[in-house]
């Protein structure tokens, strides 16, 4: 079962209008046919893929939790010793519930879910949400990971700035951690940015309103807010974190509200 809450928006995209599967996916996500659109969605080998039409040599983007890089990381990536696991406060006997307020391609959310967290992903871009829904569909059906994926990973389509604040007002269910990884304006020349990231970045752009995420995240999270930033970035909304966990190129800024208990 795909667990998706949909908000209708309208976004122009190119796709094959004679292919019912892709037509219905586009209709579901409010993606309207545009012959001159910069991006194309294709559905091949049971996978929805995004292609940048003026750079056909760049690999398309799709969400694949079953095989490829994220599956490899699940098996060999260092488990709860990883920096992201420490940042959200995963320790023996503690499986925090997490809202990932900037889901993107769901990689960080998947790492956390595979380590035992219940993760609700929030994504506002309709094309990214469509790719995530497709990745979840295949993962939910998979013999190896399907059972726990259906239990632990959900998708919500909408803006976190509104939905986190709404959830905080009306919440009966406790959210331990809000995780944020907004797109940061890249300082490297675009040719140096990894090819796949280039397609993704040109699709979603820089999240210039990211500072507005911190206050609703702090209102919702009962234990902590974790913000992933490039090492050279300033603090989100100018607010100093309680602690910082540094990795090679990034850091996790942790805003602690309460101790993490089982
Ligand atoms: C850098 S990507 C996140 C990558 C993700 N951590 C991963 O591991 O794949 C940022 C994503 O957050 C989304 N986003 C930014 N601001 C948002 C908001 N206020 N509400 C919902 N989604 C948001 C963007 O559309 C983009 O897809």
């Amino acid at each position: 079962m795909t667990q998706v809450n949909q908000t209708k928006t309208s976004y122009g995209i190119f796709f094959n209008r004679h292919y019912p599967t892709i037509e219905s996916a586009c209709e579901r996500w409010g993606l309207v046919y545009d012959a001159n659109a910069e991006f194309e969605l294709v559905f091949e080998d049971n996978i929805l893929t995004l292609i940048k039409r003026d750079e056909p040599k760049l690999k398309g983007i799709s969400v694949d939790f079953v095989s490829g890089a994220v599956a490899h990381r699940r098996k060999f990536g260092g488990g709860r010793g990883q920096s992201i696991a420490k940042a959200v406060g995963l320790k023996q006997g503690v499986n925090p519930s997490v809202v990932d307020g900037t889901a993107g391609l769901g990689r960080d959310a998947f790492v956390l879910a595979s380590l035992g967290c219940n993760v609700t992903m929030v994504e506002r871009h309709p094309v990214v949400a469509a790719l995530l829904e497709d990745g979840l569909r295949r993962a939910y059906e998979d013999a190896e990971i399907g059972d726990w994926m259906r239990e632990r990973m959900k998708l919500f389509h909408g803006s976190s700035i509104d939905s986190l604040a709404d959830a905080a007002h009306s919440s009966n269910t406790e959210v331990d951690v809000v995780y944020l990884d907004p797109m940061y304006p890249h300082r490297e020349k675009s040719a140096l940015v990894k090819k796949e990231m280039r397609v993704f970045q040109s699709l979603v752009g820089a999240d210039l309103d990211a500072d507005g995420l911190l206050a609703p995240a702090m209102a919702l999270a009962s234990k902590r807010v974790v913000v992933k930033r490039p090492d050279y970035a300033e603090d989100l909304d100018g607010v100093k974190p309680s602690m910082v966990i540094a990795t090679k190129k990034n850091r996790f800024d942790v805003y602690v509200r309460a101790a993490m208990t089982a």
Side-chain angles (χ1 to χ4, degrees):
M1 183 183 52
T2 308
Q3 300 173 51
V4 185
N5 291 311
Q6 293 153 12
T7 308
K8 281 263 175 184
T9 44
S10 180
Y11 184 90
I13 194 130
F14 183 74
F15 60 92
N16 180 348
R17 283 187 290 179
H18 305 295
Y19 202 144
T21 316
I22 196 156
E23 249 202 312
S24 69
C26 287
E27 205 185 310
R28 222 170 28 258
W29 292 104
L31 303 173
V32 292
Y33 179 81
D34 176 357
N36 301 313
E38 188 183 357
F39 293 99
E40 175 176 5
L41 274 174
V42 295
F43 191 74
E44 273 171 14
D45 299 329
N46 195 28
I47 298 177
L48 188 68
T49 302
L50 180 77
I51 290 164
K52 190 162 186 287
R53 294 172 79 198
D54 61 353
E55 292 190 83
K57 285 197 179 143
L58 290 183
K59 206 171 158 273
I61 302 181
S62 51
V63 173
D64 183 7
F65 298 120
V66 177
S67 56
V70 296
H72 187 269
R73 184 171 171 188
R74 176 174 72 83
K75 289 176 184 152
F76 309 107
R80 291 184 170 217
Q82 295 174 72
S83 303
I84 187 172
K86 290 185 188 151
V88 301
L90 269 168
K91 48 189 172 189
Q92 191 127 37
V94 179
N95 290 323
S97 60
V98 179
V99 169
D100 180 344
T102 54
L105 298 174
R107 293 170 202 196
D108 292 334
F110 179 74
V111 171
L112 296 174
S114 69
L115 295 174
C117 298
N118 275 314
V119 185
T120 302
M121 300 185 285
V122 187
E123 173 54 54
R124 67 178 166 191
H125 197 294
V127 174
V128 181
L131 295 173
L132 274 173
E133 178 198 38
D134 183 64
L136 282 177
R137 174 186 59 81
R138 274 174 283 110
Y140 288 169
E141 288 165 2
D142 185 69
E144 196 184 339
I145 66 170
D147 285 349
W148 61 258
M149 281 293 288
R150 284 192 297 274
E151 216 173 284
R152 294 187 213 151
M153 260 184 113
K154 296 176 188 62
L155 170 64
F156 181 88
H157 176 43
S159 169
S160 288
I161 294 176
D162 309 326
S163 29
L164 294 182
D166 290 350
H169 286 137
S170 63
S171 176
N172 305 324
T173 50
E174 185 143 303
V175 172
D176 296 316
V177 179
V178 175
Y179 180 85
L180 301 171
D181 173 22
M183 192 70 94
Y184 193 80
H186 240 276
R187 67 174 184 182
E188 291 160 57
K189 288 220 168 65
S190 62
L192 297 176
V193 178
K194 263 169 84 186
K195 282 181 179 171
E196 190 190 48
M197 278 314 288
R198 242 163 73 200
V199 178
F200 188 67
Q201 279 177 3
S202 54
L203 176 74
V204 299
D207 294 325
L208 298 174
D209 56 350
D211 280 343
L213 283 163
L214 189 62
M218 290 296 274
L220 180 63
S222 61
K223 303 282 170 48
R224 56 177 67 184
V225 173
V226 177
V227 183
K228 184 175 172 184
R229 305 291 272 167
D231 53 8
Y232 52 85
E234 67 279 9
D235 297 334
L236 191 63
D237 205 19
V239 181
K240 205 171 159 349
S242 328
M243 66 176 179
V244 177
I245 296 173
T247 65
K248 244 193 222 161
K249 288 189 176 160
N250 295 307
R251 60 172 209 267
F252 295 101
D253 291 346
V254 183
Y255 298 83
V256 176
R257 300 208 61 215
M260 195 66 77
T261 45

